[in-house]
Amino acid sequence: MPCHTHAAHDPAWCIQQTDFAGSSLKAYEGLFAQGAPGLHIRGSLEEPIADAPQGLRYWRTPGNVTAEVFREARSKFGTYLPGIYGSHPILNNELVNLPWFLWLVPEIDGSALDADSDAVAEHERTLDLRDNTLVRALTWRTPGGARVSLLYERFVSMDAGARGVRLCVQRLTIDTDRATDVTVRAGIDADVTTNGYDHFKRVDLAAEGERVRCAVQTDLGDRVEIESILLAPHAAEAHAEGRRGWSEARAQVTPGTPLVIEKRTTVTTSRDAPDGGGTGELLEAFAGAGFDDLHRAHADAWRAKWAHADVRIQGDDRAQLAVRTSIAHLLRTLPHASDRVAIDAKGYAGEAYWGRFFWDTEMYLLPFYLYTDPAGARALADFRIHSLEGAQRNAHKLGLPGAKYAWESDQLGDECCPNWQYADHEVHITSDVVYGLAHVARATGDDSYLDTHAACVLFDAARYWTARVSVRPGDDHPSILGVMGPDEYTPIADNNAYTNRLASFALEAAADAAARTGQCRDEARTWRELGRTLPIHRRADGLVLQSDAFDRLPLADFDGRWKDRTRPFASQAPQEYLYRTQCLKQADVLMLMWLFDSEFSIEDQRTAWRYYEPRTTHDSSLSAAIHSMMACRLGLNEEAWRFWEEACAIDLDGGAAEGIHIAACGAVWQMVVFGFAGMRSAMEDEVLTLDPRLPAGWTTLEFPLVWRGTSVQVRVTKDGVELRHSGAASLSARVAGELREIPAGGVGRWATGGTTAP
Ligand code: BGC
C-alpha cells in the first residue's frame, strides 16, 4: 500500500467501517459526515450505487417522525449548505440536498469499481476524528486478473472553510501487481432529490477537459455553483449527459509506480459575499498547493479546534471514542456567524428533520460551545436574534403579539413544522431561546448582551407570553393552557410545569432587562407579575405534576404493547394511545429539575425520578442524557452509567442513517462535564463548581473549559481534582463543596478521597 495521509490509525481517534452490506451503508454515511462551515457531505462511497438511485421522486408526507419508517434505500447521498433551503409543497421549507460531487471511480478491463462485487476484498473505511479525514482502502481483483490496491482519501478543508471558502479535496492512489490500463471518471451528479422532492428549477452543466461545472437554481431562488477539477497525469476528456457531467482520464499503472489522481471541488452560492470569487477562480487559487499542503493546513485548523475542546478519558476506550466522535461532529457543524444559521437536528448529515432548528440548539448544543468556544457560541445564540422577524410572523399568524419562535425553524425563523400538535403547541421553545440568550450572558459574564443585542427578543417573547396566558374561570392564578411540554406524548396539556417555569424565566428576564435599560416600564410590571404567579402544580404528596391532572391518566401498558424494546414504543402503540396514557417520550419534569436544581429539594427530585422514569419510554434520543445527568446528581450510579451507554450508542452503533443526532452529541459532552465531572453551569452558579463522580473504569478525565473568560484545564482522577488556569486574576472554584482561590495563572488541587463510581 502506498503511503497516505495517516501513518497509523489511532483507535482512540478513529472510527472504522468494515461492513458494507445492507443498511449499514446508510448508517455510516451519517456517521462519516464530513464538513466545515458552509459545506457538509454525507459519508457516501465514491461510486454511484447500482440499486440506490439518488434521483427518485416520491412523497414524504407529514407524520410523526418518532415512529416514521424511512424509505428503504441502501445509500443516501447528501450535500448540504447551511442556509440553502427549498420550498416543499406539503412539508414546508427544507434544507436542499445539492448535487453530489464525490464521484471518483476507476474503470479497469471495461468494468467500473463496484463495492458490492466479490472481486472487492480487504475493504475498510476509517474516519480520523483528529482531522475529519476519511480514508478508504480496498483490494480489487479486476476481470483481467490484476490485483489492484485502491486508496481514497478525502476531506472538506477546515482551513478554507474558516476563510469562507468551500473546498473538498479527494485523492485516489492506484497500485497494481501488473501493468494495467485505467480510466478514472470524476463527475458531478445533479440528479438528486431531497426527501424525494426535486428542488431544482434549473440545472446548468458544463464539462470541458478536466473540469465539470454544475449550477443549480433552487425553488427559493438561490443559485449554487459547484465546480470540480480532475488532476491526472494526462489530459482528460469531458462528457455531459442529462443532469450528470464527468471528466475521464486514462493512464497506465505499472507495479511499484502508483497512479495518483486528485479531484478538487469548490462551491459558491448567490448568498456569498459578492467579491468572494467564482468556483473556477477559487480552484485556481489552490492550484499551487499539493494535496499534502492542503491537508496540512486543514489538519492544523482541526488541531487548533481540538486544543480547546478535546476530552481525554483514560481507562475506557469506548467512552473515549464516543466522546470524541460527538465532539468532532460538534466542531464540524458550528456555522460561521455571518451565515446566520444554527445547527439543524441532524447535524447537516441527513434529511430526517428537514434541516431545521429546534430547542436542541439552546438546551443541548449551546453549552458545549459556551464552555469551549464562547465566541463561536455567539453564532448560534445570535441566530435567534437575526431570525426574530420570522418569530414575529409566527406569532402574528396566530393573532398574537410579540414573537413566537418556531418549533421547527428554517433559516429565517419561520415555522416549518408540518404537524399542528408541535407547531402550535410545543411553545416552550420561545422561552428556551431566552434561556439560551441568558446563558450566553452568564457564561461569558457579559450582561450587556441581554440589554443590547438580545433585548428585542426578550421583550417580544414576554409580549407573546402575556397574550398566551389565560385565567380560567374560578382560578386566582394565570395558566398556560393547551401546550405540549418536552414530553411529546402528552399533547394538549395545561400548566405543563416545564413550560410554565421557562415562561416565568423569560418574563422575568424581560422585566429585568427593562429595569436595567429603562425601557417598556408599564409592560414590565405585568411581565414581572405574570412571571411570579404562573404556577407549578404539585400533588398532595409533593410530586411535581408534569401538567394538570397528568396523574389521572391511566398507566400505559408497556408489558402488553411494547414487545420489541429495541424499537421505540411509538412504533408499537398508536399515537392516540400515547396521548391518552401516562407515558413520556423524554425527560419533562426531570428536565425542569435538571435546569432549575436549586428550586427543588433533593427529595423533590428523587420523588420525581421514582415517578417519571418508569413511565418514560426514552423514545427520543434526547432523553437518555438528561437521565444520566440527573442520576449522577441523585447518586444513582448504575442508572447514570446505563443511560450514558445508551446515549453513546445512538449514532456509534448504527443510528445515523438519517443523519447525526447532533443534540445527543452535545449531550454526550454534557454527560461527561456536567454529569460525571459534576460541573454546575453558569446559570446555576457564579463560581466554577465541580462535584465529580468518575465511572468505575475511568482512571483520569481531562478537559478544557472557558469559565467567564478564563481558560481552565480540568483534571479529575479517583483521588482528586486539579484545576489549572491561565487567567490574569485569581479564580474561585469549589470542588466537592470546598471553595478555594486559585492564584492568577496557578493550579488548584483538591483531594476528593476516592470518588463514587457507577
Ligand atoms: C424530540 C424533540 C427534539 C426533536 C429534534 C424529537 O424527537 O422529541 O425534543 O427537539 O426530536 O431533535
Side-chain angles (χ1 to χ4, degrees):
M1 191 65 65
C3 71
H4 56 87
T5 317
H6 297 279
H9 300 314
D10 179 342
W13 282 101
C14 293
I15 336 176
Q16 276 211 320
Q17 175 186 13
T18 48
D19 173 13
F20 293 84
S23 57
S24 71
L25 201 53
K26 251 177 94 178
Y28 277 103
E29 286 174 340
L31 188 62
F32 285 177
Q34 293 171 282
L39 172 64
H40 300 271
I41 49 176
R42 271 172 69 87
S44 55
L45 303 181
E46 285 78 5
E47 63 270 29
I49 311 279
D51 56 356
Q54 300 294 316
L56 285 185
R57 276 37 167 193
Y58 57 89
W59 285 108
R60 180 177 169 198
T61 48
N64 179 343
V65 270
T66 316
E68 186 170 350
V69 178
F70 285 90
R71 244 186 114 73
E72 281 284 324
R74 261 196 75 209
S75 161
K76 174 78 185 76
F77 296 171
T79 306
Y80 307 110
L81 268 60
I84 301 296
Y85 284 75
S87 162
H88 189 286
I90 53 173
L91 296 174
N92 304 323
N93 290 352
E94 62 175 349
L95 187 72
V96 175
N97 176 28
L98 291 157
W100 180 67
F101 59 76
L102 295 171
W103 186 3
L104 181 64
V105 196
E107 189 184 297
I108 299 177
D109 304 334
S111 159
L113 171 70
D114 173 5
D116 282 337
S117 111
D118 293 345
V120 167
E122 297 163 38
H123 194 181
E124 62 172 44
R125 294 202 300 166
T126 307
L127 180 69
D128 193 323
L129 302 166
R130 268 171 302 202
D131 51 25
N132 206 235
T133 300
L134 188 60
V135 177
R136 174 186 181 194
L138 59 92
T139 312
W140 180 20
R141 181 69 71 179
T142 67
R147 191 174 184 277
V148 176
S149 305
L150 298 182
L151 182 75
Y152 282 101
E153 297 153 283
R154 75 178 192 226
F155 61 92
V156 175
S157 172
M158 183 57 88
D159 165 58
R163 288 179 281 115
V165 174
R166 303 178 192 88
L167 170 71
C168 178
V169 185
Q170 295 169 265
R171 177 161 75 178
L172 170 59
T173 308
I174 308 176
D175 208 351
T176 175
D177 65 351
R178 67 187 70 166
T180 307
D181 291 323
V182 182
T183 303
V184 173
R185 218 166 263 162
I188 303 179
D189 184 353
D191 192 12
V192 296
T193 55
T194 313
N195 283 312
Y197 188 74
D198 177 11
H199 284 289
F200 304 148
K201 283 276 165 236
R202 212 188 138 137
V203 177
D204 294 311
L205 253 166
E208 207 184 312
E210 66 279 8
R211 282 176 190 254
V212 180
R213 195 169 65 243
C214 173
V216 294
Q217 176 146 14
T218 70
D219 45 19
L220 282 180
D222 291 305
R223 188 182 145 86
V224 176
E225 190 167 307
I226 302 177
E227 183 163 346
S228 293
I229 184 166
L230 177 66
L231 303 176
H234 307 293
E237 199 177 277
H239 303 265
E241 198 181 276
R243 284 184 166 191
R244 292 190 185 94
W246 66 93
S247 297
E248 252 175 45
R250 280 176 232 289
Q252 196 186 53
V253 193
T254 49
T257 315
L259 172 66
V260 182
I261 304 267
E262 262 191 59
K263 179 180 179 185
R264 297 178 183 181
T265 304
T266 56
V267 186
T268 60
T269 81
S270 46
R271 288 166 179 257
D272 295 350
D275 55 353
T279 46
E281 284 165 84
L282 291 173
L283 286 174
E284 292 309 327
F286 293 109
F291 180 96
D292 292 328
D293 302 322
L294 294 173
H295 188 266
R296 206 169 301 116
H298 162 75
D300 284 348
W302 268 93
R303 198 169 304 116
K305 289 194 165 283
W306 279 108
H308 62 70
D310 188 25
V311 170
R312 289 174 300 282
I313 298 171
Q314 275 174 27
D316 184 341
D317 296 347
R318 162 92 179 168
Q320 178 66 85
L321 198 60
V323 72
R324 283 196 172 133
T325 302
S326 295
I327 295 173
H329 282 294
L330 292 163
L331 295 176
R332 168 179 69 80
T333 47
L334 182 69
H336 278 305
S338 56
D339 288 341
R340 299 196 161 197
V341 293
I343 299 171
D344 80 293
K346 289 295 172 185
Y348 296 112
E351 288 155 30
Y353 274 115
W354 305 279
R356 298 181 191 143
F357 314 119
F358 290 69
W359 72 316
D360 306 25
T361 306
E362 282 72 21
M363 295 307 183
Y364 292 85
L365 296 167
L366 194 59
F368 164 75
Y369 300 107
L370 269 179
Y371 297 106
T372 58
D373 175 12
R378 281 283 297 265
L380 285 191
D382 285 354
F383 163 70
R384 301 299 192 174
I385 301 173
H386 299 313
S387 61
L388 175 63
E389 279 181 25
Q392 289 166 339
R393 282 192 291 274
N394 300 331
H396 186 74
K397 280 188 189 147
L398 296 171
L400 295 166
K404 175 188 180 293
Y405 278 86
W407 177 243
E408 294 184 13
S409 170
D410 65 6
Q411 83 287 13
L412 295 176
D414 288 280
E415 181 62 81
C416 292
C417 178
N419 307 69
W420 61 269
Q421 303 96 303
Y422 314 88
D424 295 348
H425 300 278
E426 201 157 356
V427 288
H428 61 83
I429 172 73
T430 294
S431 313
D432 301 329
V433 165
V434 174
Y435 186 93
L437 296 170
H439 203 167
V440 172
R442 297 252 186 108
T444 57
D446 176 11
D447 290 337
S448 69
Y449 180 64
L450 291 182
D451 300 341
T452 52
H453 299 77
C456 45
V457 172
L458 268 50
F459 298 154
D460 268 350
R463 289 182 183 120
Y464 163 75
W465 281 123
T466 307
R468 183 63 176 75
V469 300
S470 324
V471 178
R472 290 180 295 204
D475 275 359
D476 60 356
H477 61 79
S479 288
I480 302 182
L481 306 176
V483 303
M484 182 186 262
D487 162 27
E488 296 185 332
Y489 291 170
T490 308
I492 312 284
D494 299 334
N495 289 318
N496 170 262
Y498 177 93
T499 307
N500 280 16
R501 180 62 190 96
L502 269 288
S504 291
F505 178 88
L507 287 156
E508 284 158 13
D512 290 346
R516 287 192 301 265
T517 59
Q519 298 176 67
C520 319
R521 282 210 183 130
D522 293 343
E523 289 175 286
R525 264 191 292 279
T526 312
W527 297 341
R528 196 166 299 283
E529 179 61 13
L530 265 184
R532 216 177 45 74
T533 48
L534 272 171
I536 293 204
H537 286 152
R538 289 178 183 247
R539 221 166 52 168
D541 63 358
L543 173 78
V544 171
L545 276 175
Q546 181 174 311
S547 50
D548 291 351
F550 178 83
D551 58 333
R552 306 213 38 229
L553 290 168
L555 289 172
D557 176 15
F558 289 151
D559 287 342
R561 287 184 179 250
W562 198 2
K563 298 291 184 205
D564 178 0
R565 297 276 173 137
T566 63
R567 294 187 300 128
F569 183 51
S571 68
Q572 290 148 71
Q575 191 149 317
E576 65 87 28
Y577 185 79
L578 307 177
Y579 283 6
R580 65 182 162 85
T581 55
Q582 272 183 27
C583 73
L584 281 72
K585 181 173 175 186
Q586 63 206 89
D588 195 303
V589 168
L590 291 177
M591 179 81 191
L592 164 70
M593 292 178 166
W594 171 251
L595 295 175
F596 293 88
D597 175 36
S598 59
E599 298 178 11
F600 300 95
S601 70
I602 201 78
E603 209 30 58
D604 279 345
Q605 300 194 27
R606 289 212 173 99
T607 306
W609 176 281
R610 281 194 296 266
Y611 183 85
Y612 290 107
E613 197 287 319
R615 290 164 171 76
T616 304
T617 60
H618 306 289
D619 277 3
S620 162
S621 63
L622 275 52
S623 196
I626 298 297
H627 282 83
S628 173
M629 294 191 288
M630 275 301 280
C632 276
R633 188 186 275 170
L634 299 178
L636 303 171
N637 295 335
E638 271 177 31
E639 284 87 341
W641 184 250
R642 178 162 59 86
F643 285 116
W644 154 263
E645 287 198 302
E646 272 179 34
C648 288
I650 292 170
D651 287 323
L652 262 189
D653 293 353
E658 305 301 330
I660 283 291
H661 296 81
I662 195 73
C665 294
V668 164
W669 180 90
Q670 291 193 45
M671 278 187 287
V672 173
V673 173
F674 294 155
F676 296 128
M679 180 186 141
R680 290 171 70 79
S681 84
M683 294 299 276
E684 299 171 285
D685 231 309
E686 299 224 325
V687 169
L688 175 58
T689 298
L690 293 121
D691 199 356
R693 240 179 235 100
L694 277 198
W698 299 12
T699 50
T700 312
L701 166 65
E702 292 169 285
F703 54 89
L705 274 183
V706 183
W707 181 262
R708 294 176 159 248
T710 302
S711 296
V712 186
Q713 285 291 334
V714 179
R715 182 179 152 86
V716 183
T717 62
K718 293 285 181 204
D719 306 319
V721 171
E722 184 183 285
L723 301 182
R724 188 180 290 272
H725 81 102
S726 53
S730 68
L731 176 78
S732 309
R734 188 187 299 113
V735 174
E738 195 187 326
L739 184 68
R740 295 230 192 116
E741 268 316 281
I742 312 174
V747 186
R749 291 194 182 85
W750 285 257
T752 51
T755 39
T756 40

